Amino acid sequence: MSAELGVSMKRRQFLVASGALVVCAAAPWEVQAATKPLPQVGSAAIPLKPTLDPVELDSWVAILPDGSVNAYFGKVDLGQGLEVGIAQIVADELDVRYEKVHVLMGDTNVAINQGGASSALGIAAGAKPMRNAAAEARRLMVAMASEKLNVPVDQLAVYDGLVAPRDNPSRGVTYADLIGGKYFNSKVKWNEKEGNELYIEGKAKPKSYKDYKVVGQSFPRNDVAWKAFGTDGFVSDVRVPNMLHARMVRTPHAGSTIVKVDASSIAGIKGARVIQDKNFLAVVAEKEWDAVRGAQMLQVQWSEPVNPFPPQEKLYDHIRGAKVVKRDEEVKKGDARKILNDPGAYKMVEAEYHWPFQSHASMGPSCAVADVKKDQVTIWTGSQKPHYARDGIANLLKMKPEQVHAIWVVGAGSYGRNDAGDAVIDAAWLSKLTGRPVRVQGMRRDGTGWDPKAPASIHRGRAALDADGKVVAYEFNAKGFSRSNINSNESYPGDSLAGMEMGAALKPGNTFGVPAEAYTFENKSMAWETIAPLLDRASPLRTAHMRDPVGPQTHFASEQFIDEIAVAAKTDSVAFRLKNLKDGRDKAIIKAIADKSGWQPAVAPRKLRDGDLMLGRGIAYAQRSGTFVAVISEIEVNPKSGRIWVRKFTVGHDCGIVVNPRQLHNVIEGALIQGMSRGMFEEVHFTPDMVSSVDWMTYRIVDMTDIPGQVDIVMLNRPEASPTGAAEATSRVVPASLANAFFDATGVRLRRAPLSPENVLAALKA
């Protein structure tokens, strides 16, 4: 901030004056007790709920004395506006105004484990129990009103929480009068599953979409103002009395272990001390800066480097030649391999595509606070799955889950399994060892260098075409590091750096994935193969879920390959997809964006020019868990600098019923930007023994100069269909559409991600 503005200038004044987005740190959030009071919303608070149990309706919804509603939601909102959509659904089923519903989430003492925020299932799965609970609560209250008013249930209606005879609305009774501040003491049916698959239902039948009044409206998010003006706190702002600050000290050479620690090397820093348990090493101090200095100054002798990683330029050779740990042919129709291995007169199309390791690169490195006492633990975490963080801490400390209270506080982002899971385990173990609350905060290099990575992979496609351009055989294979080498949540400490450093048993998963699409080739095979990790313990290249697990890399390859087949068949890209898809929602989404963008058919790269710039457009399509999405990218390529800029995105999106059009629009735009960043810039760089891309200079993401010139979004609202996931579906098609647009502009295939200036120039010179 310039001196002319003055130190007394208010945040609001500065924002208005500058017209800029300012990212600022809020004042520390002081927690006055070891356990934060449970949130109570409304003019009057209800007593603490009985023990949480999925079969208790009171675990899902409460009517407060003032008639407002608490909805207890077992997931968290990572900035998509999820809590707004949940409130709309609950409001509609209860027949109350949206403003009366308050969604309480991310607190394990308040809400049942619904799986956190994951796999775009916030609405698709998370809303179902909430909807059914609200419908059941309404049924019970109408039954109470029937008894009190002596009017049959079928003659009653609800008007914003007022139950009254249909023929005499003035003779009614409010929800608050019926039950406000009391418990329902009513059971619901539970499928006895936790997480994303959890489902409950009562006797009530939820409403038809035809009766919705709140769902379908564009209510704004609730978190924008406080984030802009710094009026609330992030997890990094949490402060607990008697708290220590900590910085982790991790090996500078992946695979090396501690030989000797010289604690005297930080003796000059007052209050700083070393905490070590096997290869788990940290510096704690009363003041944060002292912990930072101590971690930087601490002298540690590490074992000789083992150089577990290949040279980066040999990564794809390594994947290609590595032994297969697991293989799964998820799609097998006919006998594609027989035809492709002996194609005869058929025309063959073959290609291989490469995708690098990528980092979550959250806005900031993760932070967590833990207060471990003898019989009770409280943790504050930005993890997207606080219930599983609770379970992981209980596992670590050999305690019961109910002895651990996890409180979710907004963090720097997650979208998969980033370093938030490590931070909370680190904090809990340090609190255990020191006997005091501990706050762990990473540095930038920790967040980008040590977070779990999205797996690197290669993808091969083969297809056989007859003389008429018909695909008679199609094969698509992926080979790479497992997307679940460590679990997508922190429920098992051995999946964390701390657990690995202390020797916990490893429980690696082996899975990848195939493209999600509906092409109707008669002989079709799609399979994946996983290989062993480069380093199995405490690796900066350990792999886990990252937003839309393996979706961007899989479709970067498969949708480019579809385009390559279309070119070989001398067929326009849009026409080829429509020809080889079933009727229905797949075709509708492609037709919608083709019409919106003014797509002009072409059977070969057009190689258009605008002065020195090369212009192109490309399409990609996919499904994701019941969502149908397609995007057309219109780009310009500067052949001198290698820079690609997106002039326009046209997106088609069909995720069933649209709960909140405004929020869906925002979510799609955000996913476009993230998909564009991963497709154009993001790549983890590494040496034989360490990740070397550890800041915004060495790990490039999109910035304001890269933002598209125009975004057109076509939402196909299907109110009769159940809602499905939104954001992750969009992110998976962006990289392929950019690559196809690059081919249209240049006539050159760029089969290696990202489409960075370096890779673009190399492709144009090849």
Side-chain angles (χ1 to χ4, degrees):
M1 183 179 292
S2 67
E4 289 78 10
L5 289 173
V7 295
S8 64
M9 188 174 190
K10 302 293 187 181
R11 282 194 185 95
R12 183 184 301 273
Q13 293 172 321
F14 177 68
L15 288 169
V16 171
S18 66
L21 172 63
V22 178
V23 179
C24 54
W29 169 24
E30 296 288 350
V31 179
Q32 299 302 323
T35 55
K36 183 187 173 191
L38 297 182
Q40 297 293 336
V41 184
S43 61
I46 61 174
L48 295 181
K49 294 190 301 178
T51 302
L52 284 175
D53 191 333
V55 302
E56 293 287 345
L57 182 60
D58 296 301
S59 294
W60 300 97
V61 65
I63 307 298
L64 275 63
D66 65 354
S68 60
V69 179
N70 276 359
Y72 304 110
F73 187 43
K75 291 183 177 289
V76 299
D77 181 6
L78 296 179
Q80 303 100 322
L82 176 57
E83 66 172 307
V84 177
I86 295 298
Q88 289 181 253
I89 291 166
V90 170
D92 246 333
E93 292 298 338
L94 280 172
D95 277 319
V96 298
R97 286 181 293 109
Y98 162 78
E99 291 79 10
K100 284 188 174 181
V101 180
H102 307 281
V103 179
L104 280 63
M105 58 187 173
D107 190 316
T108 61
N109 281 9
V110 171
I112 301 293
N113 181 5
Q114 290 184 260
S118 62
S119 195
L121 290 172
I123 293 293
K128 292 178 181 178
M130 307 305 299
R131 181 189 186 202
N132 289 342
E136 181 67 3
R138 181 188 185 279
R139 182 188 73 81
L140 292 173
M141 286 185 288
V142 171
M144 294 177 200
S146 173
E147 184 176 344
K148 188 167 186 176
L149 299 173
N150 196 26
V151 177
V153 167
D154 61 2
Q155 294 181 24
L156 293 173
V158 183
Y159 309 91
D160 188 20
L162 175 74
V163 188
R166 296 180 187 278
D167 59 358
N168 188 7
S170 62
R171 182 180 167 240
V173 59
T174 67
Y175 286 171
D177 291 337
L178 290 167
I179 198 174
K182 304 181 183 69
Y183 297 118
F184 287 102
N185 290 314
S186 181
K187 306 290 185 182
V188 292
K189 293 181 180 179
W190 174 40
N191 66 352
E192 299 188 357
K193 295 182 179 180
E194 286 192 338
N196 288 323
E197 296 181 354
L198 184 150
Y199 184 77
I200 61 105
E201 62 181 347
K203 297 178 182 178
K205 182 180 180 181
K207 290 181 179 180
S208 164
Y209 71 90
K210 297 177 182 178
D211 298 321
Y212 286 156
K213 300 181 180 67
V214 184
V215 169
Q217 295 189 47
S218 290
F219 292 95
R221 277 168 47 178
N222 302 318
D223 59 345
V224 174
W226 77 258
K227 288 178 179 176
F229 297 110
T231 54
D232 207 337
F234 292 89
V235 67
S236 52
D237 299 313
V238 173
R239 298 292 186 271
V240 176
N242 199 35
M243 181 183 78
L244 292 169
H245 292 272
R247 285 296 189 276
M248 302 306 301
V249 179
R250 295 202 152 98
T251 174
H253 309 289
S256 293
T257 56
I258 296 173
V259 175
K260 183 180 179 181
V261 178
D262 182 5
S264 66
S265 62
I266 63 169
I269 303 175
K270 184 179 179 180
R273 56 190 172 116
V274 176
I275 305 294
Q276 181 185 357
D277 187 344
K278 299 182 178 64
N279 289 301
F280 176 86
L281 183 63
V283 172
V284 299
E286 302 289 338
K287 298 179 179 180
E288 184 174 13
W289 180 237
D290 290 337
V292 172
R293 288 197 301 140
Q296 293 173 343
M297 294 171 59
L298 184 65
Q299 294 182 12
V300 184
Q301 181 183 346
W302 301 93
S303 62
E304 289 298 315
V306 296
N307 295 334
F309 309 145
Q312 182 158 0
E313 64 272 15
K314 300 292 185 181
L315 173 62
Y316 301 112
D317 291 336
H318 172 85
I319 296 173
R320 195 178 295 108
K323 180 182 177 181
V324 174
V325 175
K326 184 177 180 180
R327 175 182 169 83
D328 190 348
E329 188 175 12
E330 291 191 14
V331 176
K332 187 175 183 180
K333 179 183 176 184
D335 197 342
R337 191 168 302 171
K338 180 180 179 181
I339 297 171
L340 291 166
N341 289 341
D342 186 18
Y346 295 127
K347 181 178 182 179
M348 289 290 293
V349 183
E350 299 184 64
E352 181 176 283
Y353 307 86
H354 300 161
W355 190 273
F357 289 109
Q358 291 184 327
S359 168
H360 285 81
S362 299
M363 182 179 292
S366 286
C367 178
V369 178
D371 186 5
V372 177
K373 299 187 182 304
K374 181 179 179 181
D375 298 316
Q376 180 66 42
V377 178
T378 306
I379 58 174
W380 290 263
T381 175
S383 165
Q384 68 172 23
K385 298 176 182 178
H387 286 83
Y388 292 116
R390 172 202 64 188
D391 296 347
I393 299 302
N395 188 327
L396 176 75
L397 301 175
K398 304 297 188 288
M399 300 174 75
K400 297 178 181 179
E402 53 266 30
Q403 292 178 282
V404 181
H405 179 194
I407 302 170
W408 174 77
V409 189
V410 177
S414 179
Y415 293 134
R417 174 69 192 279
N418 74 344
D419 50 326
D422 291 306
V424 72
I425 299 290
D426 291 339
W429 195 240
L430 287 170
S431 181
K432 167 74 174 178
L433 295 179
T434 61
R436 291 175 59 179
V438 175
R439 173 183 178 271
V440 169
Q441 169 76 63
M443 308 296 282
R444 176 74 266 167
R445 63 179 179 274
D446 299 319
T448 314
W450 282 98
D451 69 323
K453 306 299 189 292
S457 53
I458 61 175
H459 307 261
R460 299 191 188 98
R462 294 196 299 165
L465 282 67
D466 66 15
D468 296 323
K470 178 183 178 181
V471 177
V472 296
Y474 175 89
E475 179 184 68
F476 185 86
N477 292 321
K479 185 179 183 183
F481 299 96
S482 171
R483 77 181 198 187
S484 60
N485 178 243
I486 64 168
N487 199 358
S488 63
N489 64 67
E490 52 267 37
S491 58
Y492 174 61
D495 285 327
S496 71
L497 288 171
M500 291 180 177
E501 289 163 342
M502 292 185 290
L506 302 178
K507 298 181 181 180
N510 275 296
T511 187
F512 201 83
V514 299
E517 34 85 339
Y519 295 117
T520 57
F521 307 135
E522 292 180 3
N523 297 283
K524 184 177 183 180
S525 171
M526 294 199 295
W528 55 262
E529 299 170 340
T530 56
I531 64 174
L534 296 171
L535 176 66
D536 64 354
R537 183 177 292 274
S539 173
L541 289 177
R542 64 208 162 111
T543 50
H545 283 186
M546 184 169 157
R547 196 181 197 189
D548 189 24
V550 303
Q553 49 264 65
T554 300
H555 292 87
F556 170 77
S558 67
E559 280 296 290
Q560 266 208 89
F561 189 54
I562 290 295
D563 252 40
E564 297 206 44
I565 299 172
V567 171
K570 296 183 172 58
T571 306
D572 171 69
S573 295
V574 168
F576 182 84
R577 287 172 171 79
L578 294 176
K579 178 181 178 181
N580 289 285
L581 286 169
K582 299 176 181 178
D583 290 332
R585 294 166 74 176
D586 299 277
K587 282 191 172 183
I589 205 70
I590 292 174
K591 289 179 179 178
I593 62 168
D595 291 343
K596 179 69 174 178
S597 69
W599 181 276
Q600 297 296 318
V603 299
R606 299 173 304 157
K607 301 182 183 179
L608 301 180
R609 290 272 183 166
D610 181 1
D612 293 334
L613 300 175
M614 310 166 82
L615 308 180
R617 46 90 166 123
I619 186 171
Y621 134 88
Q623 298 180 6
R624 192 189 191 282
S625 302
T627 293
F628 304 81
V629 64
V631 62
I632 291 172
S633 299
E634 299 179 34
I635 68 170
E636 62 181 43
V637 182
N638 186 325
K640 295 180 180 179
S641 66
R643 181 179 187 267
I644 293 175
W645 183 63
V646 180
R647 291 189 169 191
K648 181 181 176 183
F649 278 130
T650 305
V651 188
H653 201 284
D654 174 357
C655 59
I657 185 172
V658 176
V659 175
N660 186 311
R662 178 177 177 176
Q663 301 305 341
L664 179 57
H665 188 283
N666 293 341
V667 163
I668 292 170
E669 283 193 338
L672 281 173
I673 300 304
Q674 188 174 34
M676 185 178 74
S677 184
R678 293 183 67 184
M680 291 173 57
F681 299 113
E682 298 188 34
E683 180 174 13
V684 171
H685 296 279
F686 56 91
T687 65
D689 66 357
M690 188 48 63
V691 167
S692 56
S693 50
V694 294
D695 54 34
W696 299 128
M697 296 299 292
T698 52
Y699 190 83
R700 170 84 157 89
I701 64 171
V702 293
D703 60 31
M704 292 299 292
T705 64
D706 304 307
I707 299 303
Q710 181 178 344
V711 174
D712 288 344
I713 297 175
V714 181
M715 298 180 193
L716 297 188
N717 186 21
R718 299 187 184 276
E720 75 285 355
S722 297
T724 50
E728 290 190 279
T730 301
S731 66
R732 69 172 34 184
V733 291
V734 176
S737 71
L738 293 168
N740 289 333
F742 179 80
F743 175 72
D744 182 56
T746 66
V748 175
R749 279 289 170 193
L750 214 174
R751 300 187 181 96
R752 176 177 176 176
L755 279 65
S756 61
E758 296 79 10
N759 286 342
V760 165
L761 291 175
L764 293 178
K765 292 176 182 177

